[in-house]
Amino acid sequence: MTVIDISPSVMQFLLAFIVVGPLLGAVAALLPAPPGLKGRNPDQAVLRHGVTVTGAVLIAAIVLAVGFDHDHPATMQATTDISWIPALDVRIHLGIDGISLPLLVLTALLTFLCALYSYFKPPAGPSPKAFVALVLVLESGTLATFAVLDLLLFFLAFEMVLIPMYFLINRWGGDQRQAAAWKFILYTLLGSVVMLLGLLLIGLKSGTFDMVALATDNGRGLTTSVQVIAVLAIGLGLAVKTPMWPLHSWLPDAHTAAPTVGSVLLAGVLLKMGTYGFVRILLPAAPDGMRTFAPYLAAFAVVGIVYGSLACLALARTGAKGDLKRLIAYSSVGHMGFVLLGIATMTPTGVNGALFANIAHGLITGLLFFLVGAVKDRYGTADLDTLAGATGAALYGRAPRLGALLAFAAVASLGLPGLAGFWGEMLTLFGAYSPAEGLSRPAFRTFMAIGAFGTLLTAAYMLIVVRRVCMGEHALPARTTPATTPAPSAASAPDAPQAPATPGPPQTPDTTPALATTPAPAASPTPGTLQAPTTPGAPQAPQLADVQPYEAAAWTPLVALTVLAGLWPAVLLGLTDPAVQKLLSGGKS
């Protein structure tokens, strides 16, 4: 069943345009703007160009999804197969099925929303021209990773995203950006070198680099020892990008230093490339090797779930000076642990859960990084202690819509039933309860119990974050001590202790919260009488700018899709399940 009947040649063109279009747009971004397209200034023109190109790619992805034959999601569609390097039998082979289509649309959507957000709020740093070009190259590489069906093309697309992300962190990032960018590039490049050796081993030993042929062969042309070596080599490279504990340490630094748009793309899109490689390449092409390593992969996955949650709890506690962006980064380690656990079960239930969790994580964590970036812009910091002590009202009292969205994203991230985060985790745990033949049931049921415990830890730290950032701290000792001293008089003493606090900067109230842990009896007599009682929700707290129209435009699609996927999971599972069944059965539908 197709919503609109589109001819195969048009489908081929759409997929080719989706992959190549951003690359052409990146080249055009570096050229001078045509006279008719110049805006108020060159910077605005190039940012508008980024919105136009990513918007066109998103429209093409939606049309491709509408024209996709949903009755046969296990069949490769919109395929292009052209010989490229005959000596090595390397072909330009493109195609999509029910596994890759959701990731393709997610990538196009997130990149467009990032371009739209950047148009209204350009990142601080060098000229936007290079920024737009790098984002478009990043989009092209990511889309190609999900669309190519040749092992060497997969590797080229996989590597294509590293340099743009390195420069986005290094040139437009915050504190410690150079160290974070170097750590990111070194980890991922070293992992990729090992992965290339594994890909070459599979291609040369099987006689083909075609991923469809390898999936149909289902490892019958490879000995068990070759499969084990290939899974070890390729799995290491994919595990770095995922990131799997203990190869995750580049991720918190990269997220903390990256600009808001960089964090959204890194969490929402780039991490998915690693888990996609496990499903698309290793599960069908080297099943015996995967069966050997599946228990170890599951063990590392559940350690990552618990470790990521404990790290978040440590950052969220009072006095830890935890960075909110860093906390969300560590939460990604835990969430991607569920994806790896689902893949390790090697069952349709577990793999479907992993793919669902992939999409849910892209939507929810992308939204979280947008929101944390907005909070940091308003307060001038992402330090949790500063945000929590800003005022008793905190976000709910100062920017209620922003606070409500942050609370929504947090409860979606902890897996609240009815939202997208729930189904992936639940299916993954079900898959671990009954793993594939040849895998130890007691071991996987132990992993399931540990993963379920991780969901409780996730709920704990997310609720702590909501309480502290959205509601603020309650009745701090520092609040009562000064209240007794200046009580009798409103005119004399307050100047000394209070002056450094809020009235300082001439701009907006964005910088006031840093010192608002003390009550704010500014030099006026009326607030003095209102501040003496310990009423943390005092209405005098200066307001912050609430959700702006451009922010609402960038965030609303993510909120809507999070609710849609939570209430109607069949939309996604109807695409992935037949494709997963075929993949795990050796090409048989």
Side-chain angles (χ1 to χ4, degrees):
M1 184 266 296
T2 56
V3 181
I4 298 178
D5 192 17
I6 301 177
S7 70
S9 58
V10 174
M11 293 284 282
Q12 288 177 347
F13 171 77
L14 286 172
L15 185 58
F17 171 75
I18 287 169
V19 172
V20 179
L23 205 56
L24 299 176
V27 174
L30 299 175
L31 301 174
L37 296 179
K38 287 181 179 176
R40 293 191 300 271
N41 55 63
D43 288 353
Q44 188 204 40
V46 75
L47 289 168
R48 187 169 56 194
H49 169 78
V51 175
T52 304
V53 174
T54 56
V57 171
L58 176 60
I59 291 171
I62 292 172
V63 173
L64 189 72
V66 167
F68 186 81
D69 185 357
H70 292 260
D71 285 336
H72 302 90
T75 304
M76 283 294 171
Q77 302 179 34
T79 53
T80 299
D81 193 0
I82 303 169
S83 179
W84 183 35
I85 307 176
L88 295 175
D89 194 29
V90 177
R91 310 181 68 80
I92 299 177
H93 192 182
L94 305 177
I96 54 166
D97 64 357
I99 293 172
S100 51
L101 179 62
L103 290 166
L104 206 74
V105 176
L106 175 69
T107 301
L109 173 66
L110 282 177
T111 313
F112 169 70
L113 297 180
C114 286
L116 183 66
Y117 185 85
S118 299
Y119 177 75
F120 292 97
K121 188 168 183 56
S127 163
K129 182 171 286 196
F131 175 84
V132 170
L134 289 169
V135 169
L136 291 174
V137 172
L138 184 72
E139 180 183 31
S140 180
T142 311
L143 291 168
T145 302
F146 300 137
V148 297
L149 297 172
D150 184 276
L151 289 181
L152 292 186
L153 278 184
F154 175 86
F155 176 77
L156 293 177
F158 197 85
E159 294 302 287
M160 185 175 166
V161 304
L162 301 185
I163 300 302
M165 183 52 72
Y166 166 80
F167 281 110
L168 286 175
I169 296 172
N170 196 19
R171 301 301 302 277
W172 286 271
D175 297 336
Q176 306 295 320
R177 61 181 183 269
Q178 291 187 347
W182 274 109
K183 198 170 186 179
F184 163 77
I185 199 77
L186 287 176
Y187 265 76
T188 49
L189 277 179
L190 287 173
S192 298
V193 169
V194 181
M195 185 177 75
L196 177 60
L197 297 177
L199 293 174
L200 290 173
L201 178 64
I202 285 183
L204 295 175
K205 288 292 184 180
S206 63
T208 181
F209 289 97
D210 187 271
M211 290 155 70
V212 176
L214 288 168
T216 304
D217 187 60
N218 202 222
R220 287 181 284 270
L222 300 172
T223 64
T224 301
S225 58
V226 168
Q227 290 188 37
V228 168
I229 296 170
V231 169
L232 180 61
I234 298 171
L236 279 173
L238 297 174
V240 171
K241 184 66 73 74
T242 297
M244 180 186 77
W245 181 91
L247 303 174
H248 69 282
S249 60
W250 61 269
L251 184 71
D253 292 340
H255 271 309
T256 305
T260 297
V261 166
S263 290
V264 172
L265 293 176
L266 182 57
V269 174
L270 263 68
L271 303 189
K272 312 301 172 282
M273 295 165 63
T275 52
Y276 175 78
F278 276 105
V279 175
R280 177 63 74 195
I281 299 172
L282 293 184
L283 278 178
D288 294 337
M290 273 298 292
R291 198 169 287 108
T292 301
F293 283 106
Y296 304 102
L297 180 63
F300 283 125
V302 295
V303 170
I305 292 169
V306 175
Y307 171 84
S309 300
L310 292 177
C312 291
L313 280 171
L315 288 169
R317 76 179 194 277
T318 304
K321 306 297 290 181
D323 186 284
L324 190 52
K325 285 188 75 177
R326 195 173 189 85
L327 185 146
I328 303 302
Y330 272 111
S331 78
S332 291
V333 176
H335 288 305
M336 299 312 289
F338 280 103
V339 178
L340 290 173
L341 177 60
I343 293 169
T345 67
M346 298 184 68
T347 61
T349 302
V351 176
N352 275 305
L355 294 172
F356 200 104
N358 244 353
I359 300 298
H361 178 264
L363 295 172
I364 297 167
T365 308
L367 177 60
L368 273 171
F369 275 115
F370 268 134
L371 294 167
V372 172
V375 170
K376 187 174 182 179
D377 289 338
R378 286 158 171 79
Y379 281 92
T381 180
D383 178 72
L384 264 169
D385 289 335
T386 304
L387 296 176
T391 161
L395 273 183
Y396 283 161
R398 307 187 69 192
R401 293 183 184 86
L402 183 59
L405 280 172
L406 184 61
F408 168 84
V411 297
S413 182
L414 63 82
L416 185 74
L419 298 176
F422 170 73
W423 295 105
E425 294 181 4
M426 187 194 71
L427 290 171
T428 293
L429 296 177
F430 279 176
Y433 182 80
S434 183
E437 282 294 322
L439 299 179
S440 168
R441 284 198 171 192
F444 271 83
R445 288 181 181 180
T446 303
F447 298 146
M448 180 197 73
I450 298 172
F453 176 66
T455 63
L456 299 178
L457 295 177
T458 303
Y461 71 73
M462 278 300 179
L463 293 176
I464 290 172
V465 167
V466 170
R467 179 182 62 78
R468 298 193 69 205
V469 176
C470 295
M471 303 176 190
E473 301 288 11
H474 299 294
L476 294 176
R479 192 181 298 277
T480 58
T481 306
T484 57
T485 312
S489 159
S492 51
D495 273 348
Q498 303 291 346
T502 44
Q507 254 190 341
T508 64
D510 296 9
T511 52
T512 63
L515 295 173
T517 49
T518 55
S524 118
T526 319
T529 56
L530 290 171
Q531 276 307 95
T534 56
T535 51
Q540 303 94 320
Q543 292 297 108
L544 295 174
D546 212 336
V547 178
Q548 302 297 302
Y550 72 90
E551 293 173 328
W555 303 341
T556 300
L558 301 180
V559 174
L561 289 172
T562 299
V563 175
L564 176 65
L567 296 178
W568 194 11
V571 172
L572 191 54
L573 293 174
L575 283 172
T576 61
D577 185 52
V580 168
Q581 297 274 3
K582 181 177 180 180
L583 210 63
L584 294 178
S585 63
K588 304 182 191 74
S589 299

